[in-house]
Amino acid sequence: MQTVSVDEFIRQSFDFIIIGGGTAGLAVASRLAQDGKFTVGVLEAGGTANGRDDVEIPAYFGRSLGTDVDWGFETAPQASLGGRKVKWPRGKALGGSSAINFMTWTRASRKDYDAWEELGNSGWGWNDLLPFFKKTETFHPPNSSLQIEEDIRYDLDSFGTSGPIQISYPAEFSPTHRLWVKGLNSLGVPTNPAHVAGSNVGVWSNVTSVDPRTMTRSFATNYCSLAGSNLYILTEAVVQEIVLDNSDGGFVASGVRFTHKGQEYVSSAAHEVILSAGTIKSPQILELSGIGSPEVLSRAGIAVKVDSPMVGENLQEHKALHYIFEVDPEFKSTDDLNLDANLAAAAREQYDRDRAGPLASLPSSYTYVPLANFIPQETLEKLYSRAHALTGFPPEKKALMERRLRSRDEFGQVEYLFKLGVGLPPDNSKKYGMMFQILQHPFSVGSIHVQPQPASGDDPVIDPGHYHGPPGEIDLEVMLESTRFAHTILHAPPFNDVVKQLLNPPASLFEDDENIKKWIIDGTVIALHAVGTCAMGGHAGIRGGVVDERLKVYGVKGLRVVDASVMPLQISAHIQSTVYAIAEKAAAMILDDVAR
């Protein structure tokens, strides 16, 4: 990985400049630089994250949140959450959020991606994306004894074998994992034998982005090994704007204006500027460059260059809740290491020596469940009617959202995952577990925009619109029904052998719907899966999105967006592997366009 000084960076003549050295940015930059034909520059606002224990050691996931490798965003006060702000972590380092996420490696349903294509984004269905999913990854199968012991099932042909990101099943499983699977099976949720092959419905042992050879996080910096000395990466570079030249009455992106340690610089790109700053920063940078809604730009005192009304709109994020419960003391977890210095030292010694033990493990107990599995038909019909009556959505998109709501077996609309330990035990004499509940297909949408009269370095205004208005009321009803199913999971045999007592929420809460709703509103957080703020416009064009199906920004030549913000509809999955696939597909399209 070649990081350079600012003097060396500005001396280069670049073919491509990538804004953001994150999950998508490093992937697309490395592919463009791979064959040595092009000189590629990457501007990253953060520093490096490689070599940090809180980044690389699997069981330390979550420890880097709130540190210097996290932007530390938070939302605007949410009226439907009683004025509460919600923390919004995002990676600020080489590797971006792939350096701080929870290393979960999932793909959504085939129908999730096919919906993108149905909106008019040719080439973005499941069959088109699958080769790029596989190009990203090198899958390391589990050994045969572990596969039999833990009943690990997968479709080998659906995995890649030569990509930069190393993925694997955990080498060790907690005894609670088998109870989790059997408990879901007892509720009619089947074990999914091919959970990355186009349907994630069911329960399974999950894959993680962990290199089993070193038992460390495998993240976007791995891509840099594909490129040679023609890839130049500058860290601590904060982009101020994309330089747009007026040409024949239109605009062409010619370079980037940025600051580095208080000094301002400009670098030019002969072919393209590629914006890969993520769902939060990409719309902000477009607006700072004069691309966006005239109303938003006027409030911020920014001259309008391209009237693009959907910049920063269409924000979609998974909504999450967590349940905490006391578990049988026989079950060991990483909480034990937080409470006992001797155990922690022994675990670290084992990890350093053998790359094994509690520090090498990650949660692997996942399930995705269709609403029809647990919501009464009468309640579903009422939800359908409310969804059909919604206004303010483009008809094509609304029809797809309704169809997903009605689906009985094609989408896992609510995710549940289980882990032992809670990080900071409320009572050191007891053991705890945590279950997450994550809404996959929210109806409520929000926005991300520049501050009015923005100053350099200001965070954008993040307004996810949690539970806001009629769309948010549908989300709240689905979350309400999902909490009832969560309660059922916790009492399902034999998983109920794990659960001694439900603490948050207390069991008595389930006696009253209004109390449950209040708990949902008070406890909702995000799942770190924000998408959509620079979406592909499809049939609607610039009135429905920000980029076309080749990820070119409407109204500007030589500018693309390549990151999670281009997703027009949220998917039922943790988005990491999808963002890599987007970057791989984008690189292939860019190289194809340049060759023409």
Side-chain angles (χ1 to χ4, degrees):
M1 183 170 59
Q2 184 178 355
T3 57
V4 298
S5 69
V6 67
D7 291 336
E8 187 174 359
F9 191 90
I10 62 173
R11 283 199 302 267
Q12 302 306 315
S13 297
F14 293 112
D15 295 296
F16 299 96
I17 293 179
I18 286 79
I19 300 171
T23 312
L26 288 184
V28 70
S30 299
R31 289 299 187 191
L32 294 178
Q34 186 172 4
D35 63 6
K37 290 182 180 179
F38 302 111
T39 303
V40 180
V42 176
L43 294 166
E44 166 54 43
T48 57
N50 292 74
R52 294 174 53 134
D53 285 353
D54 61 354
V55 168
E56 295 201 340
I57 295 178
Y60 287 173
F61 72 94
R63 291 193 179 189
S64 59
L65 303 185
T67 70
D68 59 315
V69 294
D70 176 7
W71 279 96
F73 297 122
E74 65 178 10
T75 69
Q78 295 296 286
S80 296
L81 300 184
R84 181 165 60 91
K85 297 180 179 181
V86 180
K87 292 186 182 299
W88 204 293
R90 288 286 87 189
K92 187 183 182 183
L94 284 177
S97 293
S98 74
I100 70 169
N101 66 19
F102 293 1
M103 290 164 272
T104 301
W105 197 261
T106 60
R107 297 179 194 160
S109 159
R110 152 192 308 272
K111 294 290 186 180
D112 273 310
Y113 304 109
D114 288 347
W116 297 357
E117 189 162 48
E118 286 186 57
L119 288 171
N121 303 297
S122 178
W124 287 94
W126 168 265
N127 290 337
D128 299 293
L129 277 171
L130 183 57
F132 297 107
F133 276 115
K134 295 172 73 172
K135 190 175 182 180
T136 293
E137 62 194 21
T138 293
F139 173 58
H140 300 264
N143 65 59
S144 56
S145 60
L146 183 67
Q147 186 175 351
I148 294 169
E149 181 181 349
E150 295 295 339
D151 191 23
I152 300 173
R153 308 181 201 178
Y154 56 87
D155 175 27
L156 185 60
D157 291 339
S158 297
F159 286 108
T161 58
S162 58
I165 305 302
Q166 311 299 309
I167 62 171
S168 60
Y169 287 96
E172 301 176 34
F173 286 80
S174 163
T176 58
H177 175 67
R178 275 165 272 173
L179 301 179
W180 167 264
V181 173
K182 291 178 180 178
L184 268 298
N185 290 163
S186 75
L187 297 176
V189 180
T191 300
N192 188 327
H195 53 92
V196 299
S199 173
N200 60 13
V201 172
V203 60
W204 68 83
S205 305
N206 196 50
V207 180
T208 61
S209 51
V210 170
D211 187 338
R213 301 166 299 184
T214 60
M215 281 299 170
T216 56
R217 177 192 296 267
S218 183
F219 63 115
T221 55
N222 285 33
Y223 265 91
C224 297
S225 63
L226 300 176
S229 58
N230 58 323
L231 176 62
Y232 295 82
I233 301 172
L234 179 64
T235 58
E236 301 179 61
V238 179
V239 170
Q240 305 301 302
E241 66 172 332
I242 299 160
V243 178
L244 301 178
D245 297 336
N246 201 320
S247 175
D248 297 327
F251 286 95
V252 177
S254 63
V256 179
R257 190 184 312 278
F258 65 94
T259 57
H260 183 269
K261 297 184 177 178
Q263 292 290 110
E264 187 175 286
Y265 303 89
V266 175
S267 283
S268 299
H271 284 307
E272 290 189 12
V273 174
I274 298 162
L275 180 54
S276 296
T279 296
I280 294 175
K281 295 295 287 185
S282 283
Q284 180 191 30
I285 291 171
L286 288 178
E287 290 177 340
L288 290 171
S289 307
I291 304 168
S293 161
E295 182 181 349
V296 172
L297 298 184
S298 176
R299 281 200 306 267
I302 299 171
V304 179
K305 295 178 180 176
V306 178
D307 179 350
S308 187
M310 292 303 294
V311 171
E313 298 296 320
N314 193 47
L315 172 63
Q316 299 160 66
E317 169 62 290
H318 292 153
K319 296 174 177 63
L321 292 166
H322 62 268
Y323 302 78
I324 297 174
F325 43 91
E326 185 182 348
V327 303
D328 192 292
E330 72 176 84
F331 298 121
K332 296 179 180 179
S333 77
T334 51
D335 278 354
D336 301 336
L337 310 184
N338 297 329
L339 302 172
D340 189 319
N342 291 329
L343 282 178
R348 184 57 191 261
E349 181 180 352
Q350 182 184 16
Y351 178 80
D352 291 341
R353 182 185 65 244
D354 304 325
R355 287 298 191 253
L359 296 187
S361 65
L362 280 169
S364 57
S365 303
Y366 286 67
T367 187
Y368 284 76
V369 187
L371 298 183
N373 277 39
F374 60 86
I375 295 183
Q377 186 60 38
E378 181 181 354
T379 304
L380 277 174
E381 290 296 337
K382 291 179 181 178
L383 288 173
Y384 302 154
S385 297
R386 292 171 68 174
H388 189 69
L390 290 176
T391 59
F393 286 93
E396 196 173 23
K397 185 174 287 189
K398 179 184 168 185
L400 284 168
M401 294 170 69
E402 284 187 59
R403 196 171 75 200
R404 294 195 307 188
L405 185 64
R406 287 180 175 275
S407 172
R408 302 195 66 83
D409 55 13
E410 293 175 329
F411 299 97
Q413 290 140 325
V414 181
E415 174 190 3
Y416 298 92
L417 64 94
F418 162 68
K419 66 181 284 287
L420 281 173
V422 296
L424 295 172
D427 182 340
N428 295 348
S429 66
K430 298 177 181 179
K431 298 287 185 72
Y432 299 90
M434 182 181 291
M435 185 173 73
F436 294 86
Q437 169 186 311
I438 307 173
L439 176 63
Q440 299 298 295
H441 292 146
F443 274 80
S444 53
V445 295
S447 64
I448 294 176
H449 292 300
V450 292
Q451 296 273 1
Q453 302 298 326
S456 176
D458 276 353
D459 290 343
V461 179
I462 304 170
D463 184 5
H466 286 313
Y467 306 126
H468 177 69
E473 291 170 5
I474 293 176
D475 292 344
L476 185 58
E477 285 298 322
V478 173
M479 288 293 265
L480 172 65
E481 295 295 335
S482 301
T483 61
R484 293 195 179 99
F485 191 63
H487 194 248
T488 303
I489 293 172
L490 295 173
H491 289 82
F495 185 67
N496 59 350
D497 291 342
V498 177
V499 183
K500 290 188 67 176
Q501 180 184 1
L502 182 59
L503 302 177
N504 181 38
S508 59
L509 193 81
F510 291 91
E511 298 171 4
D512 183 271
D513 283 359
E514 292 308 309
N515 286 339
I516 299 176
K517 286 183 178 180
K518 184 178 185 307
W519 177 74
I520 292 169
I521 288 168
D522 290 343
T524 292
V525 294
I526 63 165
L528 315 184
H529 304 152
V531 307
T533 51
C534 299
M536 289 184 279
H539 296 308
I542 197 170
R543 297 300 149 189
V546 179
V547 299
D548 65 15
E549 72 275 5
R550 297 190 76 79
L551 308 188
K552 296 179 180 180
V553 174
Y554 293 122
V556 184
K557 294 181 180 178
L559 178 61
R560 299 192 207 223
V561 180
V562 180
D563 56 35
S565 72
V566 305
M567 299 186 198
L569 277 176
Q570 183 59 280
I571 58 173
S572 57
H574 296 242
I575 65 173
Q576 177 181 202
S577 70
T578 299
V579 174
Y580 282 121
I582 289 170
E584 289 279 11
K585 181 174 173 62
M589 290 190 298
I590 294 165
L591 291 171
D592 180 58
D593 286 349
V594 172
R596 290 180 181 181

